[in-house]
mmCIF file of all heavy atoms in Angstrom:
data_model
loop_
_atom_site.group_PDB
_atom_site.id
_atom_site.type_symbol
_atom_site.label_atom_id
_atom_site.label_comp_id
_atom_site.label_asym_id
_atom_site.label_seq_id
_atom_site.Cartn_x
_atom_site.Cartn_y
_atom_site.Cartn_z
ATOM 1 N N LEU A 122 43.970 1.847 19.618
ATOM 2 C CA LEU A 122 44.584 2.963 20.371
ATOM 3 C C LEU A 122 45.330 3.830 19.351
ATOM 4 O O LEU A 122 46.342 3.446 18.775
ATOM 5 C CB LEU A 122 45.438 2.452 21.451
ATOM 6 C CG LEU A 122 46.142 3.567 22.293
ATOM 7 C CD1 LEU A 122 44.996 4.357 23.043
ATOM 8 C CD2 LEU A 122 47.132 3.003 23.354
ATOM 9 N N GLY A 123 44.868 5.080 19.120
ATOM 10 C CA GLY A 123 45.461 6.001 18.204
ATOM 11 C C GLY A 123 46.600 6.769 18.866
ATOM 12 O O GLY A 123 46.840 6.656 20.000
ATOM 13 N N PRO A 124 47.247 7.535 17.965
ATOM 14 C CA PRO A 124 48.413 8.315 18.470
ATOM 15 C C PRO A 124 47.997 9.557 19.278
ATOM 16 O O PRO A 124 46.834 10.059 19.203
ATOM 17 C CB PRO A 124 49.145 8.751 17.225
ATOM 18 C CG PRO A 124 48.033 8.782 16.247
ATOM 19 C CD PRO A 124 47.054 7.733 16.563
ATOM 20 N N ARG A 125 48.889 10.097 20.102
ATOM 21 C CA ARG A 125 48.603 11.336 20.801
ATOM 22 C C ARG A 125 48.694 12.427 19.881
ATOM 23 O O ARG A 125 49.453 12.479 18.862
ATOM 24 C CB ARG A 125 49.591 11.435 21.952
ATOM 25 C CG ARG A 125 49.495 10.392 22.998
ATOM 26 C CD ARG A 125 48.164 10.381 23.738
ATOM 27 N NE ARG A 125 48.071 9.367 24.702
ATOM 28 C CZ ARG A 125 46.967 9.110 25.434
ATOM 29 N NH1 ARG A 125 45.887 9.832 25.180
ATOM 30 N NH2 ARG A 125 46.912 8.199 26.311
ATOM 31 N N ALA A 126 48.076 13.533 20.193
ATOM 32 C CA ALA A 126 48.121 14.764 19.388
ATOM 33 C C ALA A 126 49.505 15.411 19.535
ATOM 34 O O ALA A 126 49.944 15.648 20.629
ATOM 35 C CB ALA A 126 47.057 15.716 19.772
ATOM 36 N N PRO A 127 50.261 15.692 18.390
ATOM 37 C CA PRO A 127 51.572 16.248 18.520
ATOM 38 C C PRO A 127 51.472 17.572 19.164
ATOM 39 O O PRO A 127 50.697 18.502 18.883
ATOM 40 C CB PRO A 127 51.971 16.414 17.052
ATOM 41 C CG PRO A 127 51.123 15.371 16.312
ATOM 42 C CD PRO A 127 49.854 15.329 17.099
ATOM 43 N N GLY A 128 52.398 17.839 20.175
ATOM 44 C CA GLY A 128 52.481 19.042 20.953
ATOM 45 C C GLY A 128 51.457 19.194 22.040
ATOM 46 O O GLY A 128 51.548 20.138 22.831
ATOM 47 N N LEU A 129 50.552 18.233 22.143
ATOM 48 C CA LEU A 129 49.479 18.277 23.145
ATOM 49 C C LEU A 129 49.364 16.958 24.023
ATOM 50 O O LEU A 129 48.342 16.602 24.489
ATOM 51 C CB LEU A 129 48.066 18.502 22.532
ATOM 52 C CG LEU A 129 47.955 19.893 21.760
ATOM 53 C CD1 LEU A 129 46.544 19.922 21.117
ATOM 54 C CD2 LEU A 129 48.157 21.087 22.727
ATOM 55 N N ALA A 130 50.557 16.259 24.015
ATOM 56 C CA ALA A 130 50.532 14.986 24.653
ATOM 57 C C ALA A 130 50.816 15.108 26.135
ATOM 58 O O ALA A 130 50.580 14.075 26.905
ATOM 59 C CB ALA A 130 51.561 14.065 24.020
ATOM 60 N N GLY A 131 51.273 16.217 26.597
ATOM 61 C CA GLY A 131 51.575 16.326 28.076
ATOM 62 C C GLY A 131 50.537 16.816 28.875
ATOM 63 O O GLY A 131 49.297 16.709 28.591
ATOM 64 N N ALA A 132 50.907 17.368 29.999
ATOM 65 C CA ALA A 132 49.878 17.971 30.998
ATOM 66 C C ALA A 132 50.506 19.245 31.582
ATOM 67 O O ALA A 132 51.751 19.371 31.619
ATOM 68 C CB ALA A 132 49.563 16.954 31.989
ATOM 69 N N VAL A 133 49.671 20.087 32.093
ATOM 70 C CA VAL A 133 50.048 21.306 32.820
ATOM 71 C C VAL A 133 49.551 21.210 34.248
ATOM 72 O O VAL A 133 48.553 20.648 34.473
ATOM 73 C CB VAL A 133 49.633 22.545 32.041
ATOM 74 C CG1 VAL A 133 50.266 22.589 30.638
ATOM 75 C CG2 VAL A 133 48.096 22.588 31.938
ATOM 76 N N SER A 134 50.235 22.007 35.089
ATOM 77 C CA SER A 134 49.765 22.036 36.515
ATOM 78 C C SER A 134 48.838 23.177 36.721
ATOM 79 O O SER A 134 49.126 24.319 36.450
ATOM 80 C CB SER A 134 51.019 22.120 37.374
ATOM 81 O OG SER A 134 50.616 22.246 38.755
ATOM 82 N N LEU A 135 47.671 22.831 37.245
ATOM 83 C CA LEU A 135 46.663 23.857 37.560
ATOM 84 C C LEU A 135 46.119 23.617 38.991
ATOM 85 O O LEU A 135 45.697 22.423 39.254
ATOM 86 C CB LEU A 135 45.545 23.863 36.528
ATOM 87 C CG LEU A 135 45.851 24.427 35.095
ATOM 88 C CD1 LEU A 135 44.496 24.269 34.270
ATOM 89 C CD2 LEU A 135 46.219 25.877 35.217
#
Side-chain angles (χ1 to χ4, degrees):
L122 183 61
R125 297 295 181 185
L129 301 174
V133 297
S134 177
L135 289 177

